[in-house]
Amino acid sequence: SCGMQRIVQRKNRKMSVTIDIHADDFGESVHASRDILDCLKDGKLNSISVLANMSCFEECVNMYRREQDEFVWQPKISVHLNLLEGISLAGAENVPDLVNRDGHFKLSWEKLFFISFLPSRNKFKNQLKKEIELQIKTVVDAFPELSFKAIRIDSHQHTHMIPVVADALFEVIGEQKWQPEYIRDSREPMMPFLKKISLYKTINNEIATTINIVPHISFFISISRSLSVNFFISFSTFLL
């Protein structure tokens, strides 16, 4: 009878679903961050992710603080790891293989992916760990409402799903004994993009400007990137 009672309770239980209306790239630029703040004040967002390594980071955090009381909801905040654009927080001397002489990131998504399968991957992984740790700590320090016991993590162009970057991220989390509440798992469906040409440019924002010049090459890069991400997810799930 106890078993039947539990079954009835499960059937009668109402399912509760929470949907996050999210915006990436807070801190990428003052203009983009201003638009995100306006959406928060209009009640159109309840979740954002923050980049720590752009030159306007401090200014954007100050804007957030000044206008926070006007938000309809206090948003969930994720760390938006950025390993492709902007300046390294670790410094060129600590991550020489990731940046140019000026300390700006120099590796593309594709290069990071292929590095994952090279004998030298550990050298890159150790440098990635330094940068990832600093970016996460910088965002958490800037937003006192955040906690390492419930940290939320995603990344610019989903780079955290590249094998060598994922390894670096999980090692940092383990070594620091952080407790993630959420890590984005990006599974992009391919069929809508295969069926409708107008969607090609939306697969990856960074190649949108080249679509009109070399659509077939750009589309091939986009498909390869999305397939590699989905393959990594499937393969990792199989191993687990």
Side-chain angles (χ1 to χ4, degrees):
S1 61
C2 291
M4 288 297 297
Q5 183 179 4
R6 284 195 293 269
I7 292 173
V8 171
Q9 287 175 344
R10 282 197 294 269
K11 287 183 177 179
N12 292 334
R13 186 184 302 153
K14 292 183 178 179
M15 182 177 291
S16 176
V17 177
T18 299
I19 299 176
D20 294 338
I21 309 300
H22 181 87
D24 282 348
D25 297 340
F26 185 84
E28 183 175 36
S29 69
V30 172
H31 179 75
S33 300
R34 165 58 56 198
D35 289 344
I36 290 173
L37 292 175
D38 288 343
C39 288
L40 286 168
K41 289 189 287 186
D42 290 341
K44 297 176 180 178
L45 293 173
N46 62 356
S47 178
I48 65 172
S49 54
V50 181
L51 294 97
N53 72 315
M54 306 304 277
S55 59
C56 61
F57 174 72
E58 186 174 348
E59 181 179 356
C60 293
V61 172
N62 290 335
M63 288 167 48
Y64 182 96
R65 288 284 168 243
R66 287 195 302 269
E67 302 183 22
Q68 187 173 6
D69 291 339
E70 301 178 47
F71 300 162
V72 176
W73 296 288
Q74 294 304 306
K76 298 176 181 177
I77 299 175
S78 303
V79 179
H80 199 55
L81 296 174
N82 185 10
L83 305 169
L84 301 176
E85 301 174 1
I87 299 174
S88 163
L89 298 185
E93 66 279 7
N94 293 312
V95 290
D97 297 300
L98 305 182
V99 301
N100 60 23
R101 294 179 181 178
D102 298 325
H104 289 81
F105 287 112
K106 66 179 182 180
L107 298 180
S108 66
W109 198 102
E110 288 78 14
K111 286 182 180 178
L112 280 172
F113 179 76
F114 286 117
I115 285 169
S116 299
F117 306 99
L118 296 178
S120 58
R121 76 186 305 276
N122 284 338
K123 176 180 68 173
F124 288 90
K125 183 187 71 174
N126 290 332
Q127 294 181 32
L128 287 165
K129 286 173 63 177
K130 295 176 182 178
E131 182 66 26
I132 289 170
E133 180 179 343
L134 279 175
Q135 289 194 19
I136 292 174
K137 286 181 175 178
T138 298
V139 173
V140 173
D141 288 345
F143 293 88
E145 58 266 47
L146 301 184
S147 167
F148 289 114
K149 294 182 178 180
I151 195 167
R152 298 170 61 86
I153 300 170
D154 51 48
S155 68
H156 200 47
Q157 299 178 20
H158 308 321
T159 46
H160 70 290
M161 303 192 74
I162 299 172
V164 68
V165 180
D167 287 349
L169 172 61
F170 289 126
E171 285 187 20
V172 168
I173 290 172
E175 291 167 3
Q176 298 295 322
K177 294 181 171 56
W178 294 338
Q179 299 174 28
E181 176 184 273
Y182 160 87
I183 298 178
R184 179 180 291 168
D185 181 356
S186 173
R187 296 172 183 256
E188 298 180 356
M190 292 307 304
M191 288 310 298
F193 298 102
L194 294 173
K195 291 179 179 179
K196 197 167 184 179
I197 295 177
S198 63
L199 292 176
Y200 289 4
K201 67 178 65 177
T202 68
I203 299 177
N204 290 294
N205 294 331
E206 76 279 5
I207 63 169
T209 56
T210 65
I211 289 292
N212 295 326
I213 302 173
V214 281
H216 299 296
I217 295 175
S218 297
F219 180 61
F220 174 75
I221 292 172
S222 299
I223 294 296
S224 299
R225 177 178 299 185
S226 187
L227 286 175
S228 64
V229 167
N230 287 318
F231 170 77
F232 172 58
I233 296 169
S234 301
F235 186 63
S236 299
T237 304
F238 172 75
L239 290 178
L240 294 174

